[in-house]
Amino acid sequence: MEDCIFCKIARGEIPSAKVYEDDEILVFKDINPLTKIHLLCIPKEHFKTVAELNEQRTLLLGSALKKIGALAPLWGLEEGYRLVINQGEAAGQSVPHLHIHILGGEPLRWEK
Ligand code: AMP
């Protein structure tokens, strides 16, 4: 996608504070962190939501979660962290390229 900001980051056209990259995914620091540690994991392939998962993207997402699980302790998240995927504008998705928020580095409240 020409105009997608996360595609531009994946292509290296916009700088980012990368913490991990391979052929399939990129993990970088969120520019406007909501928690002490706030990372974003994106697939390099452009798609917006889990409604667009096909077999290959399903494998990609599972693989991304496995990598996050393996690498999180190296990112300072050994005490625990929260994964969030906002789906659609009404849920707060501002960038239409699927991304997993990785939030932690401090105690996170979870209550109604
Ligand atoms: P969402 O609101 O779920 O779509 O999340 C988009 C996230 O992308 C927000 O937390 C933004 O702070 C973050 N963001 C937007 N542009 C950049 C950028 N250039 N580098 C890093 N994070 C960004």
Side-chain angles (χ1 to χ4, degrees), residues 9-25:
I9 286 175
R11 291 195 296 262
E13 295 168 12
I14 292 178
S16 66
K18 282 182 215 173
V19 300
Y20 177 78
E21 180 172 18
D22 63 22
D23 289 346
E24 295 182 326
I25 65 165

PDB file of all heavy atoms in Angstrom, residues 9-25:
ATOM      1  N   ILE A   9       7.068   2.308   7.072  1.00  0.00           N
ATOM      2  CA  ILE A   9       8.020   1.919   8.122  1.00  0.00           C
ATOM      3  C   ILE A   9       8.639   0.559   7.778  1.00  0.00           C
ATOM      4  O   ILE A   9       9.853   0.374   7.866  1.00  0.00           O
ATOM      5  CB  ILE A   9       7.322   1.902   9.503  1.00  0.00           C
ATOM      6  CG1 ILE A   9       7.078   3.342   9.973  1.00  0.00           C
ATOM      7  CG2 ILE A   9       8.140   1.121  10.533  1.00  0.00           C
ATOM      8  CD1 ILE A   9       6.289   3.472  11.261  1.00  0.00           C
ATOM      9  N   ALA A  10       7.804  -0.383   7.330  1.00  0.00           N
ATOM     10  CA  ALA A  10       8.310  -1.726   6.973  1.00  0.00           C
ATOM     11  C   ALA A  10       9.308  -1.650   5.821  1.00  0.00           C
ATOM     12  O   ALA A  10      10.273  -2.417   5.778  1.00  0.00           O
ATOM     13  CB  ALA A  10       7.146  -2.646   6.610  1.00  0.00           C
ATOM     14  N   ARG A  11       9.080  -0.712   4.899  1.00  0.00           N
ATOM     15  CA  ARG A  11       9.995  -0.569   3.758  1.00  0.00           C
ATOM     16  C   ARG A  11      11.214   0.285   4.094  1.00  0.00           C
ATOM     17  O   ARG A  11      12.109   0.470   3.264  1.00  0.00           O
ATOM     18  CB  ARG A  11       9.255   0.074   2.564  1.00  0.00           C
ATOM     19  CG  ARG A  11       8.195  -0.805   1.919  1.00  0.00           C
ATOM     20  CD  ARG A  11       7.782  -0.272   0.545  1.00  0.00           C
ATOM     21  NE  ARG A  11       7.141   1.034   0.622  1.00  0.00           N
ATOM     22  CZ  ARG A  11       5.825   1.256   0.621  1.00  0.00           C
ATOM     23  NH1 ARG A  11       5.005   0.228   0.564  1.00  0.00           N
ATOM     24  NH2 ARG A  11       5.336   2.471   0.690  1.00  0.00           N
ATOM     25  N   GLY A  12      11.236   0.852   5.306  1.00  0.00           N
ATOM     26  CA  GLY A  12      12.362   1.684   5.716  1.00  0.00           C
ATOM     27  C   GLY A  12      12.295   3.105   5.183  1.00  0.00           C
ATOM     28  O   GLY A  12      13.276   3.847   5.263  1.00  0.00           O
ATOM     29  N   GLU A  13      11.139   3.506   4.664  1.00  0.00           N
ATOM     30  CA  GLU A  13      10.984   4.861   4.108  1.00  0.00           C
ATOM     31  C   GLU A  13      10.711   5.892   5.191  1.00  0.00           C
ATOM     32  O   GLU A  13      10.918   7.088   4.984  1.00  0.00           O
ATOM     33  CB  GLU A  13       9.856   4.871   3.069  1.00  0.00           C
ATOM     34  CG  GLU A  13      10.158   4.021   1.846  1.00  0.00           C
ATOM     35  CD  GLU A  13       8.951   3.782   0.959  1.00  0.00           C
ATOM     36  OE1 GLU A  13       7.920   4.452   1.150  1.00  0.00           O
ATOM     37  OE2 GLU A  13       9.053   2.910   0.078  1.00  0.00           O
ATOM     38  N   ILE A  14      10.206   5.414   6.333  1.00  0.00           N
ATOM     39  CA  ILE A  14      10.015   6.268   7.516  1.00  0.00           C
ATOM     40  C   ILE A  14      10.806   5.614   8.636  1.00  0.00           C
ATOM     41  O   ILE A  14      10.718   4.391   8.817  1.00  0.00           O
ATOM     42  CB  ILE A  14       8.521   6.363   7.895  1.00  0.00           C
ATOM     43  CG1 ILE A  14       7.742   7.137   6.832  1.00  0.00           C
ATOM     44  CG2 ILE A  14       8.329   6.994   9.267  1.00  0.00           C
ATOM     45  CD1 ILE A  14       6.257   7.233   7.124  1.00  0.00           C
ATOM     46  N   PRO A  15      11.599   6.388   9.385  1.00  0.00           N
ATOM     47  CA  PRO A  15      12.392   5.776  10.455  1.00  0.00           C
ATOM     48  C   PRO A  15      11.525   5.255  11.600  1.00  0.00           C
ATOM     49  O   PRO A  15      10.423   5.769  11.845  1.00  0.00           O
ATOM     50  CB  PRO A  15      13.292   6.929  10.937  1.00  0.00           C
ATOM     51  CG  PRO A  15      12.645   8.172  10.457  1.00  0.00           C
ATOM     52  CD  PRO A  15      11.789   7.837   9.280  1.00  0.00           C
ATOM     53  N   SER A  16      12.017   4.231  12.259  1.00  0.00           N
ATOM     54  CA  SER A  16      11.331   3.712  13.448  1.00  0.00           C
ATOM     55  C   SER A  16      12.390   3.180  14.400  1.00  0.00           C
ATOM     56  O   SER A  16      13.511   2.881  13.982  1.00  0.00           O
ATOM     57  CB  SER A  16      10.364   2.589  13.055  1.00  0.00           C
ATOM     58  OG  SER A  16      11.082   1.476  12.565  1.00  0.00           O
ATOM     59  N   ALA A  17      12.005   3.089  15.670  1.00  0.00           N
ATOM     60  CA  ALA A  17      12.912   2.526  16.679  1.00  0.00           C
ATOM     61  C   ALA A  17      12.667   1.021  16.724  1.00  0.00           C
ATOM     62  O   ALA A  17      11.885   0.511  17.527  1.00  0.00           O
ATOM     63  CB  ALA A  17      12.651   3.182  18.029  1.00  0.00           C
ATOM     64  N   LYS A  18      13.341   0.306  15.830  1.00  0.00           N
ATOM     65  CA  LYS A  18      13.140  -1.142  15.694  1.00  0.00           C
ATOM     66  C   LYS A  18      13.735  -1.897  16.869  1.00  0.00           C
ATOM     67  O   LYS A  18      14.845  -1.601  17.293  1.00  0.00           O
ATOM     68  CB  LYS A  18      13.874  -1.667  14.451  1.00  0.00           C
ATOM     69  CG  LYS A  18      13.200  -1.404  13.153  1.00  0.00           C
ATOM     70  CD  LYS A  18      14.036  -2.030  12.029  1.00  0.00           C
ATOM     71  CE  LYS A  18      13.958  -1.170  10.791  1.00  0.00           C
ATOM     72  NZ  LYS A  18      14.867  -1.630   9.730  1.00  0.00           N
ATOM     73  N   VAL A  19      13.015  -2.897  17.346  1.00  0.00           N
ATOM     74  CA  VAL A  19      13.607  -3.811  18.328  1.00  0.00           C
ATOM     75  C   VAL A  19      13.742  -5.221  17.765  1.00  0.00           C
ATOM     76  O   VAL A  19      14.467  -6.046  18.318  1.00  0.00           O
ATOM     77  CB  VAL A  19      12.820  -3.827  19.661  1.00  0.00           C
ATOM     78  CG1 VAL A  19      12.783  -2.443  20.291  1.00  0.00           C
ATOM     79  CG2 VAL A  19      11.415  -4.366  19.483  1.00  0.00           C
ATOM     80  N   TYR A  20      13.030  -5.515  16.657  1.00  0.00           N
ATOM     81  CA  TYR A  20      13.136  -6.837  16.028  1.00  0.00           C
ATOM     82  C   TYR A  20      12.637  -6.743  14.589  1.00  0.00           C
ATOM     83  O   TYR A  20      11.674  -6.025  14.307  1.00  0.00           O
ATOM     84  CB  TYR A  20      12.298  -7.883  16.784  1.00  0.00           C
ATOM     85  CG  TYR A  20      12.340  -9.241  16.123  1.00  0.00           C
ATOM     86  CD1 TYR A  20      13.430 -10.071  16.282  1.00  0.00           C
ATOM     87  CD2 TYR A  20      11.292  -9.665  15.306  1.00  0.00           C
ATOM     88  CE1 TYR A  20      13.489 -11.307  15.642  1.00  0.00           C
ATOM     89  CE2 TYR A  20      11.342 -10.899  14.663  1.00  0.00           C
ATOM     90  CZ  TYR A  20      12.447 -11.713  14.835  1.00  0.00           C
ATOM     91  OH  TYR A  20      12.499 -12.927  14.200  1.00  0.00           O
ATOM     92  N   GLU A  21      13.301  -7.487  13.706  1.00  0.00           N
ATOM     93  CA  GLU A  21      12.843  -7.558  12.319  1.00  0.00           C
ATOM     94  C   GLU A  21      13.253  -8.889  11.717  1.00  0.00           C
ATOM     95  O   GLU A  21      14.357  -9.391  11.975  1.00  0.00           O
ATOM     96  CB  GLU A  21      13.459  -6.415  11.497  1.00  0.00           C
ATOM     97  CG  GLU A  21      13.021  -6.435  10.040  1.00  0.00           C
ATOM     98  CD  GLU A  21      13.460  -5.199   9.253  1.00  0.00           C
ATOM     99  OE1 GLU A  21      14.375  -4.488   9.711  1.00  0.00           O
ATOM    100  OE2 GLU A  21      12.882  -4.969   8.185  1.00  0.00           O
ATOM    101  N   ASP A  22      12.355  -9.459  10.945  1.00  0.00           N
ATOM    102  CA  ASP A  22      12.724 -10.601  10.095  1.00  0.00           C
ATOM    103  C   ASP A  22      11.957 -10.462   8.787  1.00  0.00           C
ATOM    104  O   ASP A  22      11.419  -9.388   8.492  1.00  0.00           O
ATOM    105  CB  ASP A  22      12.507 -11.943  10.821  1.00  0.00           C
ATOM    106  CG  ASP A  22      11.049 -12.209  11.173  1.00  0.00           C
ATOM    107  OD1 ASP A  22      10.149 -11.627  10.534  1.00  0.00           O
ATOM    108  OD2 ASP A  22      10.797 -13.016  12.093  1.00  0.00           O
ATOM    109  N   ASP A  23      11.894 -11.531   8.005  1.00  0.00           N
ATOM    110  CA  ASP A  23      11.252 -11.437   6.686  1.00  0.00           C
ATOM    111  C   ASP A  23       9.757 -11.145   6.780  1.00  0.00           C
ATOM    112  O   ASP A  23       9.165 -10.581   5.864  1.00  0.00           O
ATOM    113  CB  ASP A  23      11.427 -12.754   5.911  1.00  0.00           C
ATOM    114  CG  ASP A  23      12.867 -12.942   5.465  1.00  0.00           C
ATOM    115  OD1 ASP A  23      13.627 -11.959   5.516  1.00  0.00           O
ATOM    116  OD2 ASP A  23      13.210 -14.062   5.067  1.00  0.00           O
ATOM    117  N   GLU A  24       9.163 -11.548   7.912  1.00  0.00           N
ATOM    118  CA  GLU A  24       7.700 -11.491   8.014  1.00  0.00           C
ATOM    119  C   GLU A  24       7.161 -10.338   8.835  1.00  0.00           C
ATOM    120  O   GLU A  24       6.073  -9.826   8.552  1.00  0.00           O
ATOM    121  CB  GLU A  24       7.196 -12.795   8.665  1.00  0.00           C
ATOM    122  CG  GLU A  24       7.440 -14.030   7.848  1.00  0.00           C
ATOM    123  CD  GLU A  24       6.886 -15.271   8.519  1.00  0.00           C
ATOM    124  OE1 GLU A  24       6.908 -15.338   9.771  1.00  0.00           O
ATOM    125  OE2 GLU A  24       6.419 -16.153   7.791  1.00  0.00           O
ATOM    126  N   ILE A  25       7.887  -9.972   9.890  1.00  0.00           N
ATOM    127  CA  ILE A  25       7.346  -8.985  10.843  1.00  0.00           C
ATOM    128  C   ILE A  25       8.399  -7.965  11.236  1.00  0.00           C
ATOM    129  O   ILE A  25       9.610  -8.160  11.041  1.00  0.00           O
ATOM    130  CB  ILE A  25       6.798  -9.659  12.133  1.00  0.00           C
ATOM    131  CG1 ILE A  25       7.932 -10.328  12.937  1.00  0.00           C
ATOM    132  CG2 ILE A  25       5.667 -10.619  11.816  1.00  0.00           C
ATOM    133  CD1 ILE A  25       7.556 -10.686  14.367  1.00  0.00           C
TER     134      ILE A  25
END
